[in-house]
């Protein structure tokens, strides 16, 4: 469980960093549009609060979670948006929406992380994709926190310093390779790919066999932006060797659920605020 504890420590740090970014914003700034069409900063935090709650429910009441997944299957393209908007509406109805949203997110993520730390070894948690181990669930929560934090940073014009925590995002992006094909009705290649990513500290993070013919290389940050669909491939320094690896970079996603259209090339948040992005992770 030491690996689980390490991921959870990184998840706490990632959450705290995002908390620091939004806690001092004015009520007007919480309404700032983000690259997700129709989503403000408030919607981004509401989504994280909702997903943390879903993870807690999945681990503590699988039957109730199964009922929620059935609802999601009825409206796969809209259930995430509906949930986020409902939480924002509830916060506004209660008054002092930013404070209410922050309190809900903080409480939910705290209880969710405590649950993951206390889970017995070998626990499998149902999810919207395949069931997850505790370590995988913690990694997925970190990935989402970082990705939605990127949306918020982009909306605010803030450049975040990449950290070693990105290795978790890259790992889940690599592990989700076959899933990206599955949700598009395609068959994944049988052979493994070699993925070599240059970390901010100059080190190399690698996945897959060293002698693999199909390869992906580039900066760790760019790869993470790609697999979370926070930037278009044309705007990133991620390169593929081999046709299968090249195809993967067009469809990669690190999140469960249906694929989205991805973001258009160019600035993350254009002047008119109409940038497109992929599915809500």
């Amino acid at each position: 469980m030491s690996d689980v504890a390490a991921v959870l420590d990184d998840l706490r740090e990632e959450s705290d960093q995002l908390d620091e970014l939004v806690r001092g914003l004015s009520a007007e700034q919480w309404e700032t549009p983000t690259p997700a069409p129709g989503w403000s900063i408030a919607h981004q935090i509401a989504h994280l609060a909702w997903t943390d709650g879903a993870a807690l429910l999945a681990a503590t009441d699988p039957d109730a979670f199964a009922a929620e997944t059935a609802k999601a299957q009825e409206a796969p393209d809209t259930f995430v948006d509906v949930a986020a908007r409902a939480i924002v509406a509830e916060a506004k109805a209660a008054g002092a929406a930013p404070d209410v949203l922050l309190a809900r997110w903080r409480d939910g993520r705290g209880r969710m992380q405590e649950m993951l730390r206390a889970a017995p070894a070998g626990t499998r948690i149902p999810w919207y994709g395949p069931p997850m181990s505790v370590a995988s669930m913690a990694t997925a929560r970190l990935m989402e926190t970082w990705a939605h934090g990127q949306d918020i940073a982009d909306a605010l014009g803030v450049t975040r310093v990449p950290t070693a925590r990105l290795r978790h995002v890259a790992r889940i992006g690599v592990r989700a390779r076959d899933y990206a094909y599955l949700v598009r009705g395609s068959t994944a290649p049988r052979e493994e790919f070699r993925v070599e990513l240059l970390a901010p500290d100059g080190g190399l993070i690698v996945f897959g066999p060293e002698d693999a013919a199909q390869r992906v290389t580039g900066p760790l940050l760019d790869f993470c932006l790609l697999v979370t669909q926070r930037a278009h491939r044309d705007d990133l320094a991620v390169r593929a060797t081999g046709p299968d690896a090249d195809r993967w970079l067009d469809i990669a996603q690190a999140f469960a659920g249906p694929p989205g259209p991805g973001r258009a090339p160019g600035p993350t948040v254009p002047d008119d605020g109409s940038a497109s992005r992929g599915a809500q992770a």
Side-chain angles (χ1 to χ4, degrees), residues 95-111:
D99 292 338
V100 172
L101 277 175
L102 263 179
R104 178 166 180 167
W105 177 45
R106 288 167 176 167
D107 176 68
R109 78 183 195 235
R111 290 191 294 124

Side-chain angles (χ1 to χ4, degrees), residues 105-216:
W105 177 45
R106 288 167 176 167
D107 176 68
R109 78 183 195 235
R111 290 191 294 124
M112 184 268 300
Q113 291 178 31
E114 288 177 4
M115 174 273 296
L116 292 178
R117 286 188 188 276
T123 296
R124 303 290 294 180
I125 302 172
W127 199 234
Y128 296 99
M132 291 186 174
S133 67
V134 174
S136 292
M137 178 61 78
T139 303
R141 299 309 310 127
L142 189 153
M143 177 272 296
E144 266 213 285
T145 302
W146 178 81
H148 288 282
Q150 187 64 44
D151 289 337
I152 292 171
D154 287 341
L156 295 172
V158 172
T159 300
R160 301 190 297 174
V161 177
T163 73
R165 296 189 295 271
L166 286 177
R167 69 189 186 280
H168 301 299
V169 181
R171 180 176 180 272
I172 202 170
V174 171
R175 289 175 63 87
R177 186 200 73 166
D178 291 1
Y179 181 79
Y181 287 88
L182 177 66
V183 295
R184 289 166 175 79
S186 300
T187 301
R190 290 187 176 183
E191 64 180 298
E192 291 186 66
F193 298 164
R194 176 72 167 183
V195 179
E196 299 181 350
L197 305 172
L198 185 63
D201 63 1
L204 198 62
I205 296 177
V206 299
F207 305 91
E210 187 174 1
D211 61 349
Q214 305 279 332
R215 309 175 74 86
V216 169

Side-chain angles (χ1 to χ4, degrees), residues 253-267:
Q253 65 178 73
F255 49 87
R263 283 187 176 169

Side-chain angles (χ1 to χ4, degrees), residues 31 42 84-101 104:
E31 298 297 326
R85 288 173 179 147
I87 290 176
V88 172
E90 290 173 9
K92 288 182 177 180
D99 292 338
V100 172
L101 277 175
R104 178 166 180 167

